[in-house]
Amino acid sequence: MGTTALRAATVFACALATALVPPSATAQSGAPRVLRLPMPADVETLDPARAGDLSTLTAIAPLYHQLLAYDLVARPVRLVPYAAEAMPTISADRRTYTIRIRRGLLFAPHPAFGGQPRELVAQDFVYSWLRVAEPAYSSMSWSALEGLIEGLDERVARARRESRPLDAAAPVAGLRAVDRYTLEIRLTRPDPTFVYNLAYAGLSAVPREVVDAEGAEFARRPVGSGPYRAVRFQPATRLDVERNPSFTPVPWEAFAPNAPADHPAARAMRGRKIPVLDRVELVRIPEPSTAVLSLVRGEVDMVAYARPPLVFDGAELKPDLRAAGVRAERAPDQGMYLLLFNLRDPVVGGLAPERVALRRAISMAIDDTAWLRTFDQGVGSVRQHVVGPDVVGHDPAYRNPNGYAPATANALLDRMRYARGSDGWRRRPDATPLELRVIIGTTSESRRLAEFVKRSFDAIGLKVAFDSMPGGDRLKKLANCQHQITTMTFGGGAPDGTSPMENFHGSKIGTVNFSCYGNDDYDRVYERLRLMDPGPGRAPLFAELTALLDAHAPARILPAADEVTLVGPRVAGFAMNPYLPLPYHLLDVAPAAR
């Protein structure tokens, strides 16, 4: 999403590697420190405002500055200043954020700057965020700002209404540079998750002069102020980056200020200056098994998002990986994988007792342990709650009352008059036939999912059929509440429980609320929750929302495979962080042999 115009402008380059700047002096002499990685997805643009997925932003984030960054090793996750001098000052009403920009941060040289570097200032963030808001871009990252910045939605609506570009020079009440180094953000309402947007790569600072000079080519020849600059880019195939000579090195400790002395990353990197690596080469390897084989052969140094069946025999690392000196780093997934019911559907929807019973019974038919064994090699965890384990609002003592319990599911259906017919299949309470429909994808993994779901439904006497379709077609149906049952993965979002709970807010139907669940009680509690100060006082409201989800069963949380990163023997400084899946700017490797 957000890349249609870009693709049209750069289609001629999709098969051509582009040299952006000459190799660094380090690369020309001596033995450069080079890290080789599989590209996490089809990176088709280097422009953060036009990136259409989180994997692209992960790959290009070190080209730019964000206001804040995630502490590499802190758990629960914590933010640290990056382009900002310090953490934001937040007003008493929690709506105004004042941020001082560090002096001396430099954009790389460009003819638009007279061939010299140019200092990053507060206005660069104002401009960059307005680019994200530009309707013509349809930026994926607009969701990080929409409804939050005072005066911005009105400006965007006017630009859409009048079919003209957003005027980046016109002031916005809630987004302004007070002076050269001071940024002020005024929110429409308090929001406990907003501060995490300040570390989001989609809101990185870019220079207006270069964007204006390069036009569409900025997507291939960007200029940023981060620790690396792009030197070669072949869309969807290859990205090589080298140290940005305009970046003033930063102590590693700035990215992990409270790291224990005995932490492996701290032992490897303490006292070092970031960036350490001279060059990082990202190459697209579409097949996950090929990426693992490339790691075993020493052709790449790390593999993020490795699939457990390719990595483990039972709980043990596979012999070829052990023999190659590879280690597997694991962490619980902070996102959520949901079995979704459409509450507007005439068969499974609504809050009538028999419909709620049907959804709860289906939820109870899913064997979590078998799911993990079937799909994830047992490498993962049974999830009780939509709020992830390292997310604010998670309750480790909570147990989902709609978890696996097939005997209870059958008894519940019997009691609610979903009686079995002579063919063994259950019928509706009015004795008419009942056949449920589940939308799946088109891959072999989707077929395995269908087999598992059918076995689960068979166990409680529910007849099920499957509609296989591409992801885009499925998304259209979900956005218009035209499905009955399906599954969907959602990313971790902000590490605050209000983020996953938002997936069930009535205002989000058609965007992230694919259960099409609208409940006034839920919405009222949620609105109170997101206006509260972060802290333990919010726990009763999280419990209220959870109780409503338990009672109404709009979705069933499914088991989550652990996130697995395979790290080769040359790599130092890596630490699993759910919000830094590929922190190549914080790593080191053994020098390449001469």
Side-chain angles (χ1 to χ4, degrees):
M1 156 183 191
T3 58
T4 303
L6 169 67
R7 287 173 182 158
T10 61
V11 65
F12 71 92
C14 288
L16 179 66
T18 303
L20 303 178
V21 295
S24 69
T26 307
Q28 293 173 351
S29 62
R33 305 176 96 85
V34 180
L35 177 70
R36 301 155 303 176
L37 303 170
M39 188 180 282
D42 292 339
V43 175
E44 296 181 346
T45 177
L46 305 183
D47 183 347
R50 294 186 182 268
D53 55 76
L54 292 175
S55 294
T56 294
L57 289 174
T58 292
I60 68 175
L63 305 180
Y64 305 97
H65 265 103
Q66 300 81 45
L67 288 162
L68 304 180
Y70 282 97
D71 186 311
L72 179 65
V73 304
R75 299 297 180 276
V77 294
R78 185 182 306 161
L79 296 169
V80 294
Y82 190 20
E85 279 185 349
M87 295 299 288
T89 300
I90 304 176
S91 64
D93 65 359
R94 297 195 299 113
R95 289 180 56 195
T96 301
Y97 288 62
T98 304
I99 303 164
R100 290 285 296 173
I101 306 298
R102 280 199 293 131
R103 295 169 185 257
L105 305 179
L106 299 176
F107 288 112
H110 189 273
F113 306 142
Q116 300 298 313
R118 199 263 279 166
E119 189 177 32
L120 183 152
V121 295
Q123 185 61 34
D124 291 311
F125 281 100
V126 173
Y127 166 72
S128 301
W129 289 21
L130 291 177
R131 281 190 81 228
V132 167
E134 168 57 56
Y137 285 2
S138 297
S139 177
M140 174 189 78
S141 298
W142 167 236
S143 62
L145 302 176
E146 187 176 12
L148 284 175
I149 307 297
E150 197 173 82
L152 184 55
D153 283 62
E154 293 82 355
R155 285 275 307 282
V156 171
R158 190 182 313 123
R160 286 177 176 152
R161 203 165 49 242
E162 298 174 1
S163 299
R164 60 175 177 77
L166 197 69
D167 183 359
V172 174
L175 184 62
R176 66 191 190 101
V178 177
D179 58 38
R180 185 173 177 83
Y181 301 107
T182 307
L183 177 67
E184 183 182 273
I185 304 163
R186 177 75 174 164
L187 303 186
T188 57
R189 53 173 170 75
D191 189 300
T193 68
F194 177 75
V195 68
Y196 298 103
N197 290 347
L198 305 183
Y200 173 51
L203 301 181
S204 300
V206 300
R208 179 171 188 167
E209 303 96 313
V210 179
V211 173
D212 288 346
E214 295 286 349
E217 290 300 292
F218 186 81
R220 295 191 305 126
R221 294 198 296 265
V223 166
S225 57
Y228 288 99
R229 59 177 180 169
V231 294
R232 182 185 182 190
F233 180 46
Q234 183 175 347
T237 302
R238 181 166 185 141
L239 170 62
D240 294 353
V241 303
E242 290 187 354
R243 287 175 186 249
N244 179 0
S246 299
F247 182 85
T248 302
V250 178
W252 179 87
E253 290 82 357
F255 298 95
N258 300 301
D262 60 350
H263 191 285
R267 289 201 304 268
M269 303 299 290
R270 194 177 297 279
R272 312 289 294 279
K273 291 291 185 74
I274 300 302
V276 175
L277 297 169
D278 299 302
R279 185 179 179 94
V280 181
E281 300 173 353
L282 296 98
V283 180
R284 184 74 173 119
I285 306 177
E287 284 297 323
S289 58
T290 306
V292 174
L293 182 59
S294 297
L295 180 62
V296 170
R297 291 174 173 170
E299 297 164 352
V300 297
D301 296 302
M302 280 175 53
V303 175
Y305 305 115
R307 296 186 179 177
L310 300 174
V311 176
F312 299 100
D313 284 331
E316 296 294 323
L317 198 63
K318 289 195 171 184
D320 57 340
L321 292 169
R322 291 202 307 270
V326 172
R327 71 181 190 274
E329 298 281 353
R330 291 168 50 180
D333 182 15
Q334 298 305 309
M336 55 185 178
Y337 188 22
L338 298 179
L339 181 71
L340 296 165
F341 303 100
N342 176 8
L343 266 72
R344 293 184 177 177
D345 181 75
V347 177
V348 301
L351 296 182
E354 68 274 11
R355 304 281 181 80
V356 173
L358 177 60
R359 296 193 297 270
R360 294 188 65 202
I362 292 170
S363 298
M364 294 177 189
I366 305 296
D367 185 338
D368 300 274
T369 302
W371 181 290
L372 279 174
R373 186 173 60 249
T374 301
F375 297 107
D376 303 313
Q377 201 76 12
V379 179
S381 57
V382 174
R383 289 281 297 274
Q384 302 291 335
H385 201 280
V386 297
V387 179
D390 289 327
V391 175
V392 176
H394 177 73
D395 179 1
Y398 166 79
R399 292 295 176 268
N400 187 346
N402 298 322
Y404 181 55
T408 304
N410 275 304
L412 182 58
L413 291 172
D414 290 342
R415 187 167 72 248
M416 301 308 295
R417 298 186 298 112
Y418 287 93
R420 294 179 187 265
S422 58
D423 57 2
W425 298 117
R426 293 186 182 274
R427 302 173 78 78
R428 300 186 197 190
D430 63 3
T432 57
L434 173 63
E435 182 179 72
L436 301 171
R437 303 202 71 85
V438 178
I439 296 179
I440 61 170
T442 57
T443 65
S444 58
E445 186 80 359
S446 298
R447 291 191 290 274
R448 292 176 65 213
L449 172 68
E451 292 168 2
F452 189 97
V453 169
K454 186 177 187 311
R455 288 196 300 271
S456 303
F457 282 42
D458 285 353
I460 58 174
L462 294 176
K463 191 174 184 180
V464 62
F466 298 90
D467 299 312
S468 178
M469 63 186 66
D473 293 344
R474 179 176 66 156
L475 194 59
K476 288 178 185 176
K477 284 188 172 292
L478 268 61
N480 292 289
C481 299
Q482 294 175 344
H483 59 296
Q484 191 175 86
I485 305 171
T486 192
T487 58
M488 178 66 74
T489 299
F490 296 88
D496 186 286
T498 55
S499 183
M501 288 297 189
E502 187 179 40
N503 282 51
F504 301 97
H505 192 274
S507 68
K508 298 298 179 179
I509 291 174
T511 54
V512 293
N513 182 354
F514 293 133
S515 293
C516 302
Y517 173 63
N519 181 265
D520 291 342
D521 291 336
Y522 187 95
D523 291 352
R524 277 193 295 269
V525 175
Y526 180 83
E527 294 297 337
R528 287 170 52 207
L529 175 68
R530 71 177 184 178
L531 294 177
M532 288 182 67
D533 290 330
R538 296 191 299 168
L541 297 188
F542 278 117
E544 280 190 60
L545 294 177
T546 300
L548 286 166
L549 295 180
D550 291 343
H552 297 157
R556 205 277 202 185
I557 185 75
L558 295 169
D562 285 352
E563 290 187 1
V564 178
T565 297
L566 296 177
V567 184
R570 298 176 62 237
V571 177
F574 180 78
M576 283 294 288
N577 185 311
Y579 299 94
L580 287 173
L582 205 64
Y584 60 79
H585 59 301
L586 303 179
L587 303 180
D588 190 15
V589 294
R594 293 192 181 186

